[in-house]
Amino acid sequence: MDRKTAELNRLNNETDALLKGDYQRAITDIVCILRLKNVDDYQVEVIRNDVTDLLLRSQEQGRSVEEALGGDIRSFCDTLLESAGKKSFGAVVLENLQSVLVCLLILTGLSFLSSTVGKLVICLRTGTAFDWQWDITAGDVATWLVLSAAVFGILYIALSSPSTGKPTRRRRWESLAFGVGVTGGCLLLAWLSAAYLPGTVLRLPAAAAGAVYLLAAAVFLIHSLRQRRRSADA
Amino acid sequence: MIPSQMLKGTLEGCILEIVRRREIYGYEISQALKRYGFGEISDGTIYPLLMRLEKNGCITATYRSSAAGPRRKYYAITQEGDSQLRQFRASWGELSAAVNLLFREEEPCNGQENR
């Protein structure tokens, strides 16, 4: 969040506090929808400022939220989204990249754990020495790349979707089918990779890999906490 | 009460005309529309239209402190807005003339027209 946006965000936080009950819930919902739909951060704060002003007036006059907005919140947001400035493709990529990197960290971490623990169990059962190496196969790399691309694609499609309408029963079933399909596809991919691409492409010292993961997890945690604190202060 | 579908195509042009007359803020626009017989148009209906007009460069917005209380967002028309308004007026003139002619030719409405 740049300084101009942070300043307006601080001002909006003060004004928001004057809204009560349904009005407070309404502005929260509206801001959430706009942020989810990739509206530029500064534009979100400008709209928030204007709509809070509108709701405050309605609160004073005793009008309901629906009367103030001329309909339900979703329809109101749909009309706003037609005119609201969206984040640039580069900005969306950068933001989604964080999610993809976290996904990659988790995927590779799980792979590291399963590989290392699996090997340790075999060594304990057979009485052989543990070689303290992490074997990364071609299948592993293929799985990570495809899943990361899938996460990015799903995030991008979901956030680009124009409609905020209430999900119909059909849409819910479609979403469920999509989720099941994606999960099944991921499991199939993992199995195929293990079966057809077993060749090792990289060997890393397990201790070093473990230390890197712990460091990466710590950096991510600190970064998240700092971002949260910065938002709270703003 | 004017049906919302009928209002849909004309409200933007009417708002432009109101803004053209003087610098004005959102709530005053809804009050002005009410005075001219448009009925109760909610702020939530007007606000997205103002956003679109601003995005298209037809109006500009500036925040001003008011003596009464919080600062307000005042809208003013631009050259582009003037041009759009002229086009709207011309289109409205054509449409209203056509509709009025249609209704005038139908009179007298006593069931004898098709004989």
Side-chain angles (χ1 to χ4, degrees):
Chain A
M1 211 181 262
D2 60 28
R3 187 181 291 226
K4 185 173 72 166
T5 309
E7 178 56 35
L8 189 52
N9 179 266
R10 187 193 58 77
L11 186 71
N12 285 336
N13 288 343
E14 286 172 12
T15 325
D16 269 4
L18 301 172
L19 291 171
K20 310 269 182 283
D22 284 348
Y23 303 99
Q24 178 63 245
R25 277 188 287 277
I27 193 65
T28 305
D29 287 348
I30 289 166
V31 170
C32 281
I33 290 171
L34 294 177
R35 284 191 178 141
L36 275 173
K37 291 299 175 185
N38 270 343
V39 175
D40 176 71
D41 288 343
Y42 182 68
Q43 178 94 95
V44 169
E45 296 303 326
V46 168
I47 293 172
R48 185 181 167 197
N49 188 262
D50 294 339
V51 176
T52 302
D53 185 46
L54 183 165
L55 289 173
L56 273 171
R57 209 170 30 249
S58 301
Q59 188 175 260
E60 279 165 30
Q61 294 168 352
R63 286 186 290 160
S64 69
V65 169
E66 281 72 28
E67 282 171 338
L69 300 182
D72 61 66
I73 288 169
R74 285 181 191 273
S75 325
F76 179 66
C77 289
D78 278 342
T79 52
L80 285 181
L81 287 168
E82 286 169 19
S83 310
K86 296 286 182 79
K87 287 176 185 163
S88 66
F89 180 72
V92 170
V93 166
L94 270 175
E95 277 189 15
N96 288 342
L97 204 58
Q98 185 176 318
S99 304
V100 172
L101 285 174
V102 169
C103 169
L104 207 53
L105 192 69
I106 294 170
L107 278 174
T108 54
L110 286 172
S111 176
F112 167 71
L113 268 176
S114 67
S115 164
T116 312
V117 169
K119 216 191 257 188
L120 196 61
V121 166
I122 292 171
C123 289
L124 286 171
R125 282 172 69 183
T126 58
T128 52
F130 184 66
D131 67 0
W132 293 99
Q133 296 288 322
W134 177 28
D135 296 320
I136 300 172
T137 67
D140 288 335
V141 175
T143 307
W144 299 337
L145 287 175
V146 171
L147 288 180
S148 300
V151 165
F152 181 83
I154 289 167
L155 278 173
Y156 189 76
I157 290 166
L159 295 175
S160 304
S161 158
S163 172
T164 60
K166 195 176 176 182
T168 59
R169 177 175 266 186
R170 184 184 160 171
R171 202 189 273 180
R172 283 201 191 104
W173 279 111
E174 281 173 5
S175 299
L176 181 64
F178 180 71
V180 168
V182 167
T183 306
C186 292
L187 288 171
L188 181 65
L189 175 69
W191 179 77
L192 285 171
S193 302
Y196 292 100
L197 297 169
T200 302
V201 295
L202 191 65
R203 293 197 98 201
L204 293 173
V212 166
Y213 273 111
L214 284 174
L215 186 64
V219 165
F220 178 72
L221 207 62
I222 292 167
H223 173 68
S224 299
L225 288 170
R226 281 179 69 186
Q227 266 193 327
R228 203 171 286 182
R229 186 185 278 181
R230 210 178 290 146
S231 303
D233 287 346
Chain B
M1 191 176 144
I2 304 169
S4 59
Q5 281 301 317
M6 270 182 103
L7 273 177
K8 225 171 180 175
T10 53
L11 211 45
E12 228 176 80
C14 298
I15 289 172
L16 260 182
E17 171 61 20
I18 291 170
V19 173
R20 182 195 68 81
R21 292 178 186 186
R22 66 181 179 90
E23 244 186 0
I24 193 169
Y25 62 93
Y27 181 65
E28 280 189 313
I29 295 174
S30 69
Q31 295 301 294
L33 287 168
K34 194 175 174 181
R35 268 200 314 276
Y36 284 105
F38 285 86
E40 285 284 352
I41 312 281
S42 67
D43 291 346
T45 304
I46 293 170
Y47 180 67
L49 296 176
L50 289 170
M51 257 184 78
R52 185 155 68 213
L53 287 168
E54 196 181 346
K55 185 185 178 189
N56 294 340
C58 295
I59 58 176
T60 54
T62 40
Y63 286 96
R64 299 242 192 90
S65 311
S66 71
R71 59 182 203 152
R72 289 190 176 126
K73 199 171 186 180
Y74 283 82
Y75 298 95
I77 199 165
T78 62
Q79 257 187 324
E80 174 62 26
D82 262 328
S83 164
Q84 292 296 320
L85 184 56
R86 272 197 294 276
Q87 281 181 36
F88 171 76
R89 274 180 146 159
S91 303
W92 174 253
E94 271 184 62
L95 177 63
S96 61
V99 172
N100 287 337
L101 181 62
L102 175 69
F103 285 138
R104 244 197 324 273
E105 280 198 2
E106 197 190 359
E107 291 164 359
C109 185
N110 55 8
Q112 294 182 13
E113 193 179 347
N114 293 327
R115 288 190 192 169

